[in-house]
Each structure stands twice: as structure tokens, then as C-alpha cells.
Amino acid sequence: MQLFAHSVDDEKSVRRQDPLLTPFAIKRVILKNRIISTSHASGLTEGDFPQERYQRYHEEKAIGGIAMSMFGGSSNVGIDSPSVFRQINMGVDEVVPHLQQFSARMHAHGTALMCQLTHMGRRGSPYEGAWLPAIAPSARRETLHRSIPREMTERDIHRVIRYFGQAASRCRQAGLDGLETLAGGHLLGQFLSPSVNVRTDRYGGSLENRCRFILRVHEEIRKQVGEDFVVGIRYAIEDGLDFEESVRAAGILERSGLFDFFNVVYGRMDTAQALITDNMPTMSMPSSPWLQKAAAFKKEVRLPVFHAAKIADLATARYAISEGLLDLVGMTRAHMADPHLVRKLMEGREHEVRPCVGASFCRSHETACIHNPSTGRETWLPHEVDRSPGPCRKVVVVGAGPAGLEAARVAALRGHEVVLLEAGSRPGGQVLLAALASWRKDILGVIQWRVDALTRLGVDIRLNSYADAADVTGLEPDTVIVATGGIPWLDELEGHEHCLSVVDALTQQPPSGGEVLVYDGTGRHNAYVCAERHALAGRQVTLVTLDGQLGMELGGRGDDIVWRRKLTELGVHVRHDLRLISVSAVSGRRRAAFVHELTGATIALEADHVVVELGVLPVCDVYDDLKPASVNDGELDLDKFAKGVPQAWPAAGPGKRFELYRIGDAHASRDIHASIYEAFRLCRLS
């Protein structure tokens, strides 16, 4: 197709004109462009070390053209800084061979590699690793990680300094291009913060004294690695210090001559709320929320400045570099969504980059992107989709939610003729309802990217097409994929006729008056979206949950915190541990009867309107009607599917005309990632 074509001259023109593709030097390290991935704990370590799966995850970014990948978020340097979220153990020599293999792998693609070193201090756990007490400048507990540390002695200080030096030496031995230490929230940053460090010796009190520990650590690092090795610090602005004090402290560090760059983050990370708004902003935060803070910091220092915090698109990254706000721009989560984004930029295909929608799914699922099933699975699931070696098949996909769209996309990339049938007037399925939340509109990127891809691929998309079995068979398919989603599961609830499902409530205008009771029986987003929508319309809302807290199925990625804040701000009254057993009509109102999960007591609550979320049941009508004509009776060979082996079925014969599969919520009620992962695995081998 002409749309995909580009010439070598086009590529050279992009390189000449785009500031993101200009090189940058830090000492002996020459970076081929300005885009990097910053250190994060990927959860892919095996036996405390970065082995094949860990390395392949980063190598994919190198294949995709990134200038530098920084790895090992919170890599621990010593025995009393244990792994609490599958970090790398940089405190032992056994790590070196793994790092050597890693650096060779990355350098083969012309990509630099740097490691992050830390001691977690009070963020560590006394119940992990060797079960040693957490240590900190002073005995001040962190709200998030909860350990009560003991105050460090001079002997502790000398020991930890030695740990950092030894870990740095291992980085040099391994052939890495550099390293950074981590200040924000961790031990180095804890010494800087006057709310954590209340010492009265030479390591506490004045700002100069509070910088002393960091300086001594970096003196030892420099002693171990030499002057030519790149050494920087991941430095937090306004983490216990105001902006002016943050700049003053940075000046003290800069004047020491021990540092080669500042990798700047913003704010605190010692509470769950701070973590998802400051350091790791979620979908609830605007794009690049701390870029201007980082730019203001850069004006005050001479060293190169990097920054990453929800810089999810190339346009924002380009602005940051072209305006001199940053020297290198971190696009870490953006590379989880699309590790080939730099290559696509170089080839003039920026419009094809899979967007990071900020769902933070990667925070709690081993770097898995909510809509890129290959990320973190590179050892068995390639990012690229090859054309099928077999004959072109006609594939009919029924349903254009995330699963159906992905199935159609991958089948088309395989070279098959694809027809996509959607009963509604818009593709998207339940994602359209998810986007009704005040802060989740970016989730539509999951849908729009696929619609754009299908348009480029020439897929026949038929909206407003409520297809039955005859419609499908009339298209003479070789393969049928049913992705018809699910319908609200209310029929088994006594008195279901007196309430609305969350789906129905979200597709209607909120009632003009009265109290609304919303019941959450799943711990997913839908009930909270509905409660928020009714509260914003001025209704008095009570949210009742089956679970003991909000968001039990949201994966621990911070969305539960966002909802707690939003619903509190809106005055939504929340009650927990109640199982809905019936709804009845009483004097023009609705009475909902519950059983308390902990006490067994029965409780009745009244409201003018009751909305219920109990999940969905698969819509199977078309699937069931098509099964008799399928060669596989509509079933997967699960062993082959799980192993990534193509399905193998008898050729079509009398009465058996096509392969038939169902995916997504038409198979079972699950999340977006599971649906897309299922579609991708099925279709990439067809």
C-alpha cells in the first residue's frame, strides 16, 4: 500500500529535521537520539537477576531504535535493602555475568545501557530477604511501605557507602555505559529530607550536612569506577524540600564534580496518593504534569537533565527537546505500549505508534501493557505479526470491542481477507462506557488505534450490522471469530425488574431527581463510573460494595486510590461488605436487601433508584447457532493455544464449513488486556 511506503531520502529528511533524532554526548557515551527509557522495576527478574526474559524486554526497545535503556529500578546494593518488588540484587558478584550478557545484547543494536542503584532505607521490609531491620537516617516510618526503621549508626553509614561502591564496580565490570543512584524516597533522599532526617550529627541539620551522605556515596562510587564512567542521580524535586531548597541541594551536588547528569522526577513517593500523582502519574493526571517543573530545574543547573513522567506521545517529547526544556526525554511507559516507536518515527510512521493510554496496567502486571500483549512476553510472543505462509483465508469477526478489533487487525496483518461486523453504530464495546468516567477518556486510545490500523489495512468494517448465523454463513467464511461481548448478569437477582444494570444506567441520562443506590458486586470500574456520573448530575449517591474496600479487581495500580479520592470529593457515601440479595418496590421507592459478609446480619437500604453491577454473561447466540457448521465445534485446542502452536483441524467437509472461535467477554468476563491477549494469540498463528 502506498500509505506505508517511504524512501531512504524520506528517512534521512526525518532525521535531519526532528530534534528528537539528534545525537547527545555524556562523556564517552554518544547517544544516537534523545529518547530514553528510564529505570523501573519490571518484575521480570528471575532469581534476583536480569535473565533472558528481562533482557529481551529491554532489547526490543533497542531493536526499535531507542538511544538508551536504563534498567534495574530500585536495584538493591546491600543485604538490608531486600527485594520487595522483584528488583535486581546488585549486592553480589553473581550478577555480573548476567549484566555482561545484557550489555552485549543492547550494544549490538547501538543502544546504551545504564543501571540504577539504591538502598531503600525505610522503604525496605524487615520481613523479606534476610529479615533484617529497615534502616534510615532517623526512626521515621513511611506511610506507604510501613516499616519502622532504626536510626543508622556511623558503622551502618560506612557499610552502606561500601555497598554502593561495590555495586558500581560490578556495573563497570559488566560493560555498562553508566549508572545512576536513586534519591527520591529512598535512603539517599531520606537523608536530604528534614522530615525524615532529624539527626543532630554531621549528617543532619543544615542542608549541607544532609547532602553529606549522598556525596560520600558518590565519592566511593567514583573511586571504584573512575572519572570516565558516566554516573548520575535520579533526583526528586520537592520531596521533603521546596523547589528553592531542591535547587540549592542540587547545586551542592553539582559543585562536587561527582555527577554527570540529573534524572529528575517530581514529588513524594511515601504515600499511595503521592506515588500515583507525583512519581508515577496515572490516567487521572494530565499529560506530562511535571515537565515545566523539570524545565525550571534545568535552568538552575549546568549538568544535563533527563525527565520522565507520563510523557506519552512524540509531540510532547519533541516540544521538550526543541524548546530546550530537557536534554533527554524519558518515554518509559510509552515504550511498553510500543517499543518500536523510535523506529517508526525514523521511518516517517509516527501516526502508527501504539499510544500509551496511561492505564498503569504495567505497574502491577510485570510491565504488561493493557493493549500490547507482547510486552514482557518477548521470549515467546513477538511484537511483529508475520504474513501467513498459507493461503489467504476469509475471516469474519463478529463484534468490534477490543477483542474483535484486535482479532481483525492481526488477521489482516497475516494477509487474510477480513470482514468485521458490529451491531452498534460505533466500535469499542464496553470501552465506550469506561470512557464516561471523568478521568478515563484516554482509554479510548485502545480503540482508536485499532480502528485507524484497520482503515489502513483495508478491512471491511460494517457498523449497524446485527448479524445472525445466516448473515455470517452468507459471507462464506473460512474462519469465524465471535467477539460479541457480554450482557449484564441480573436475571438471577430477585427483583431485578426493579433496578437497572450499570450498563443500562450508563447508556441513559441520569434520573432527574431522587437518591441513587449503586451496588458494586465485582470490584471493577463500572459501578464507580456510574456512581460518579450520578453524583456529578447532582444526585445523592450511596455506593455499596461486596468487598471490604474499593477496587479489589483493579490490580493495585492506583485506580482504587483515584476512585476513593473522586468519590469522597463528590460526597458519595460508601458502605462495604454487603452482599445484595434482592430489590423490591416499596411506596414508589426501591428497597435493597443485603447480608453483611462478616456478621451475617440482614440490612435494608432504600433509594429512589437502584443500579446493580454483577458482571456480564457471554452473548453466545451467534456462536451457538454456528457451532454445528464448524469443523472444530467452536472449541480451542487448549494445549496448542497455551503453547503458541497453530490450531489444526480437519478440512471443511459436508456440513462442516469453517473454523469457529469465541474470544473476549463472549468467552468469559475478563479485562481489556486478557481479551486482547487472547485475540492476538489466536490470530497471529492463523
Side-chain angles (χ1 to χ4, degrees):
M1 293 178 61
Q2 182 63 38
L3 194 59
F4 292 100
H6 72 280
S7 67
V8 173
D9 289 342
D10 292 335
E11 186 173 321
K12 288 180 179 178
S13 177
V14 170
R15 284 176 172 274
R16 283 196 302 270
Q17 295 174 9
D18 199 316
L20 288 172
L21 298 178
T22 57
F24 188 78
I26 308 176
K27 284 190 170 175
R28 62 186 176 85
V29 178
I30 309 298
L31 302 177
K32 58 189 177 183
N33 56 62
R34 301 298 187 96
I35 300 175
I36 65 172
S37 175
T38 54
S39 304
H40 55 286
S42 67
L44 300 177
T45 55
E46 299 171 64
D48 293 334
F49 300 134
Q51 301 194 48
E52 179 74 10
R53 188 178 174 197
Y54 192 108
Q55 294 178 30
R56 281 289 295 112
Y57 160 66
H58 283 274
E59 186 183 17
E60 199 68 37
K61 307 174 199 180
I63 293 169
I66 199 169
M68 176 170 67
S69 201
M70 305 176 83
F71 74 98
S74 304
S75 293
N76 294 295
V77 299
I79 194 170
D80 53 359
S81 179
S83 175
V84 293
F85 35 81
R86 298 183 67 181
Q87 301 111 293
I88 297 172
N89 182 1
M90 290 296 296
V92 294
D93 290 338
E94 287 82 357
V95 74
V96 173
H98 299 286
L99 299 181
Q100 289 172 332
Q101 181 187 54
F102 194 2
S103 60
R105 188 189 293 269
M106 300 295 281
H107 291 159
H109 302 285
T111 297
L113 186 66
M114 294 192 190
C115 182
Q116 182 182 93
L117 303 178
T118 196
H119 191 294
M120 295 184 70
R122 68 177 187 157
R123 289 175 68 82
S125 171
Y127 312 118
E128 302 281 352
W131 281 57
L132 297 172
I135 59 174
S138 305
R140 292 292 186 272
R141 175 178 176 268
E142 183 190 270
T143 304
L144 181 59
H145 282 213
R146 309 188 70 82
S147 298
I148 300 176
R150 68 166 175 82
E151 183 173 302
M152 293 173 68
T153 65
E154 281 275 356
R155 186 179 293 272
D156 291 325
I157 289 173
H158 293 311
R159 175 174 53 81
V160 173
I161 289 170
R162 185 174 69 253
Y163 286 163
F164 271 102
Q166 291 168 343
S169 178
R170 294 180 186 109
C171 291
R172 173 120 202 181
Q173 292 172 47
L176 302 184
D177 297 287
L179 65 88
E180 68 175 6
T181 59
L182 174 55
H186 288 226
L187 186 59
L188 271 63
Q190 292 162 27
F191 269 89
L192 271 182
S193 173
S195 65
V196 182
N197 181 356
V198 294
R199 300 174 73 99
T200 58
D201 62 4
R202 60 184 179 141
Y203 294 100
S206 69
L207 185 60
E208 288 74 14
N209 279 357
R210 284 183 275 120
C211 288
R212 191 184 305 277
F213 179 69
I214 299 178
L215 292 173
R216 289 199 59 196
V217 164
H218 276 263
E219 286 169 357
E220 181 63 21
I221 288 174
R222 190 58 75 188
K223 177 181 175 182
Q224 295 295 327
V225 301
E227 291 298 322
D228 63 333
F229 197 70
V230 176
V231 177
I233 186 169
R234 191 159 194 173
Y235 185 79
I237 306 169
E238 298 186 35
D239 175 22
L241 308 174
D242 62 22
F243 183 81
E244 290 71 21
E245 290 174 314
S246 299
V247 169
R248 280 183 56 214
I252 293 171
L253 302 183
E254 185 175 60
R255 288 191 293 274
S256 72
L258 297 168
F259 299 84
D260 298 313
F261 64 83
F262 288 109
N263 186 0
V264 173
V265 294
Y266 176 82
R268 297 163 53 189
M269 56 192 303
D270 57 350
T271 70
Q273 170 68 22
L275 195 65
I276 65 169
T277 56
D278 293 359
N279 279 150
M280 302 179 188
T282 67
M283 192 184 289
S284 65
M285 296 289 289
S287 173
S288 58
W290 310 122
L291 177 57
Q292 294 305 321
K293 284 282 188 181
F297 177 86
K298 177 173 168 53
K299 290 181 179 179
E300 304 295 332
V301 298
R302 299 186 306 277
L303 290 175
V305 172
F306 318 162
H307 174 62
K310 204 182 177 186
I311 300 177
D313 62 277
L314 286 166
T316 302
R318 183 177 294 111
Y319 164 73
I321 297 300
S322 64
E323 296 299 313
L325 308 184
L326 303 173
D327 295 295
L328 296 175
V329 59
M331 302 188 72
T332 309
R333 283 179 284 180
H335 271 84
M336 295 178 194
D338 194 335
H340 298 166
L341 69 85
V342 176
R343 177 172 60 82
K344 290 178 180 177
L345 170 63
M346 293 168 60
E347 294 173 354
R349 296 191 293 134
E350 185 173 340
H351 59 286
E352 295 182 29
V353 171
R354 185 190 315 244
C356 171
V357 298
S360 296
F361 189 87
C362 49
R363 280 189 57 200
S364 55
H365 291 83
E366 295 185 339
T367 73
C369 171
I370 195 169
H371 73 130
N372 187 341
S374 299
T375 296
R377 300 184 176 108
E378 285 80 8
T379 55
W380 73 89
L381 202 63
H383 284 262
E384 296 294 330
V385 177
D386 298 328
R387 289 186 70 84
S388 172
C392 173
R393 298 170 64 85
K394 186 167 188 180
V395 179
V396 175
V397 181
V398 186
L405 290 169
E406 180 70 354
R409 183 186 77 90
V410 178
L413 286 171
R414 294 284 284 164
H416 301 309
E417 178 188 354
V418 180
V419 178
L420 176 60
L421 306 175
E422 166 56 40
S425 61
R426 294 175 61 191
Q430 290 194 50
V431 177
L432 301 178
L433 300 181
L436 293 174
S438 63
W439 58 280
R440 301 193 74 221
K441 292 179 174 52
D442 288 350
I443 198 72
L444 289 174
V446 171
I447 302 303
Q448 190 59 54
W449 180 77
R450 285 171 171 77
V451 171
D452 291 345
L454 296 182
T455 301
R456 291 194 302 271
L457 290 165
V459 169
D460 182 359
I461 304 174
R462 303 182 186 181
L463 302 177
N464 300 304
S465 297
Y466 191 91
D468 59 19
D471 297 324
V472 174
T473 56
L475 294 171
E476 300 183 350
D478 299 300
T479 301
V480 178
I481 299 173
V482 175
T484 43
I487 56 173
W489 187 5
L490 287 187
D491 288 352
E492 294 184 11
L493 175 67
E494 181 182 340
H496 62 83
E497 66 274 15
H498 300 303
C499 57
L500 286 177
S501 71
V502 164
V503 172
D504 288 336
L506 289 174
T507 55
Q508 300 174 12
Q509 289 297 318
S512 58
E515 301 172 51
V516 179
L517 188 153
V518 179
Y519 178 68
D520 169 30
T522 65
R524 301 176 181 177
H525 283 283
N526 290 357
Y528 314 143
V529 177
C530 192
E532 179 193 56
R533 191 160 182 255
H534 284 77
L536 288 170
R539 306 287 76 79
Q540 182 179 335
V541 179
T542 297
L543 174 68
V544 180
T545 74
L546 173 64
D547 301 310
Q549 63 187 62
L550 293 183
M552 290 294 287
E553 289 194 29
L554 299 186
R557 55 187 182 266
D559 289 357
D560 55 331
I561 306 296
V562 177
W563 279 123
R564 282 164 53 191
R565 185 182 74 237
K566 295 281 186 184
L567 298 178
T568 299
E569 291 170 346
L570 291 168
V572 174
H573 179 53
V574 180
R575 299 191 62 168
H576 297 291
D577 296 310
L578 296 178
R579 180 182 296 276
L580 179 65
I581 55 175
S582 68
V583 180
S584 57
V586 180
S587 301
R589 301 219 331 146
R590 300 292 181 262
R591 177 176 294 165
F594 301 90
V595 172
H596 198 286
E597 287 286 278
L598 304 182
T599 68
T602 57
I603 297 170
L605 299 175
E606 290 193 6
D608 297 291
H609 311 277
V610 174
V611 181
V612 177
E613 163 67 350
L614 291 173
V616 298
L617 289 175
V619 174
C620 295
D621 298 7
V622 174
Y623 171 80
D624 289 339
D625 291 343
L626 290 169
K627 282 176 68 174
S630 68
V631 298
N632 61 325
D633 197 32
E635 297 295 333
L636 276 172
D637 183 321
L638 293 180
D639 288 334
K640 285 185 169 64
F641 182 69
K643 293 175 182 177
V645 176
Q647 302 285 303
W649 304 107
K656 302 289 186 178
R657 290 175 280 173
F658 46 78
E659 294 178 15
L660 173 67
Y661 305 100
R662 56 177 171 171
I663 59 175
D665 282 357
H667 205 177
S669 179
R670 290 158 294 164
D671 62 22
I672 292 172
H673 179 80
S675 296
I676 290 174
Y677 183 28
E678 185 172 56
F680 186 86
R681 284 192 288 174
L682 175 66
C683 295
R684 67 171 289 270
L685 295 171
S686 61

